[in-house]
Amino acid sequence: ESTTKGGNTVFKHILVPTDGSELSQQTARHAIAFAKSIGARITFFSARPPYHADYSGEGTLVDFRSPEEFDAATETKAKSILDEICKLATEAGVQSKAVSDVSDVPYRAIIDAAESYACDMIFMASHGRKGLSSIIMGSQSNKVLTNSTIPVLVYR
């Protein structure tokens, strides 16, 4: 959906993935300002983890939630994260919508969402959570960069 004006590409629809971390939410705020400055709209996206029964030792179930309870909990959390940044976009006068999907391969879900919603740019954080999750999320950003055919802007 991007257009070319005088040799410069103009982006019109930006996918902004978020995992709810502070850096991710800060990135979303910068994406809102960027979108406003170029007249683009935003689709905020969250990849929710799939249910995995967690067994410990000799088959002792650690997570007692059913798959339905787990899905409802992750959907509620994603909705809360996404609603917060959609509200900020609305306050800034930027058209936005929020979507989430279940995936155990977040980078693929991000690329698929950008393609499905006809986004012409992905605007994402360089990394997400702290600790081991930071390594995983950082690698997700790197995987989006190396596998996406859609331009990616990485915020640090």
Side-chain angles (χ1 to χ4, degrees), residues 55-61:
Y55 295 96
S56 174
E58 295 183 9
T60 306
L61 186 62

Side-chain angles (χ1 to χ4, degrees), residues 8-140:
N8 295 324
T9 300
V10 179
F11 299 103
K12 294 293 178 193
H13 188 188
I14 303 168
L15 183 85
V16 180
T18 182
D19 63 7
S21 66
E22 180 50 41
L23 178 60
S24 187
Q25 297 301 85
Q26 182 180 14
T27 299
R29 291 188 289 274
H30 284 278
I32 291 166
F34 177 73
K36 182 175 179 132
S37 74
I38 64 170
R41 70 184 202 274
I42 296 176
T43 294
F44 294 107
F45 176 75
S46 179
R48 303 185 330 261
Y51 177 82
H52 293 289
D54 189 7
Y55 295 96
S56 174
E58 295 183 9
T60 306
L61 186 62
V62 175
D63 189 342
F64 292 102
R65 293 182 289 186
S66 71
E68 295 78 17
E69 290 170 326
F70 179 84
D71 190 50
T74 59
E75 189 172 349
T76 298
K77 182 174 181 182
K79 183 176 178 348
S80 171
I81 291 165
L82 294 167
D83 285 352
E84 177 185 328
I85 53 180
C86 275
K87 181 180 178 202
L88 294 174
T90 299
E91 290 169 357
V94 174
Q95 181 186 349
S96 69
K97 70 177 175 180
V99 294
S100 69
D101 198 7
V102 175
S103 176
D104 56 359
V105 186
Y107 87 90
R108 186 76 252 163
I110 291 165
I111 293 169
D112 289 348
E115 292 171 353
S116 294
Y117 295 100
C119 297
D120 48 31
M121 173 190 271
I122 301 170
F123 190 120
M124 66 187 302
S126 58
H127 60 281
R129 299 175 173 94
K130 296 190 181 334
L132 183 57
S133 294
S134 173
I135 294 167
I136 294 167
M137 288 309 295
S139 70
Q140 296 305 310

